[in-house]
Amino acid sequence: MKRFFIATGLGLALFGLSSLPAKADLKLCNNTTSSVSVAIGYKDKEGWASEGWWTAKPQGCISLLKGALIARYYYIFALDKEKGGSWGGQAKICIKDKIFTIRGLEHCADRGYQQQGFFEVDTGEKQDWTVSLSGDKPATPAAAPAADDKTGQAAPIPAPDANAPAAQGTDTQTN
């Protein structure tokens, strides 16, 4: 009888674990040999926002945003802390040297911030997405590496449209 209760308890525990929702996040994997500082820009129901800084260790992954993604497009800027150089692009977004959360894209300098070029990440409206950084970057930012595919190939991108609506994610597949 004791074995029955143990087996039943284990079965219920396993059933409970299998019914947990899949973890959905916007993740960044640093496939370089240097630590990287990361900032993100996005549009939510309150408008445009930027946040920073996260540190991604060499050959490690971090979650930038936790939970199901609410937009199709996100914007990332990353700095190689050891060798110099950066991953950036043409989307002009406000940043600050210290940890920050900034609302809005306009008049960065007038509000005491710097304006930085971020690269666009197209999640395809999926609820979970991973961006991978790889390769050494030159000391000055060059072309924007597009992160909308898993190859990390560089491609020019447009600046974010300040009037674009925030897309809603509906797909739960992991990339």
Side-chain angles (χ1 to χ4, degrees):
M1 188 68 158
K2 184 177 178 182
R3 286 185 184 169
F4 172 76
F5 287 117
I6 291 173
T8 303
L10 286 173
L12 288 173
L14 289 174
F15 175 76
L17 288 175
S18 68
S19 65
L20 291 175
K23 186 175 180 182
D25 293 338
L26 177 63
K27 294 175 278 303
L28 181 131
C29 291
N30 175 11
N31 298 323
T32 74
T33 58
S34 300
S35 288
V36 174
S37 290
V38 182
I40 184 171
Y42 56 90
K43 187 172 184 181
D44 62 15
K45 64 183 176 184
E46 297 176 37
W48 285 99
S50 56
E51 296 182 48
W53 295 98
W54 288 264
T55 298
K57 294 181 180 178
Q59 305 301 316
C61 297
I62 57 173
S63 287
L64 299 174
L65 296 174
K66 295 185 185 291
L69 302 180
I70 62 167
R72 178 174 178 169
Y73 297 100
Y74 291 87
Y75 298 85
I76 293 180
F77 175 72
L79 290 167
D80 185 318
K81 293 166 63 171
E82 296 165 24
K83 297 178 185 170
S86 63
W87 292 260
Q90 297 173 1
K92 301 299 183 193
I93 298 176
C94 301
I95 65 167
K96 184 170 125 170
D97 290 338
K98 305 274 186 202
I99 294 173
F100 66 90
T101 298
I102 301 170
R103 284 283 172 188
L105 298 173
E106 293 82 23
H107 311 292
C108 296
D110 294 343
R111 298 188 293 147
Y113 306 123
Q114 298 118 13
Q115 190 176 57
Q116 181 61 56
F118 283 52
F119 67 88
E120 183 178 80
V121 176
D122 181 352
T123 67
E125 297 190 15
K126 293 196 165 67
Q127 290 187 345
D128 186 76
W129 196 262
T130 299
V131 177
S132 294
L133 298 179
S134 60
D136 292 332
K137 291 294 155 193
T140 55
D148 57 3
D149 62 25
K150 295 181 182 176
T151 65
Q153 297 297 313
I157 56 155
D161 178 356
N163 299 317
Q168 296 297 313
T170 57
D171 194 337
T172 58
Q173 294 178 1
T174 302
N175 288 328

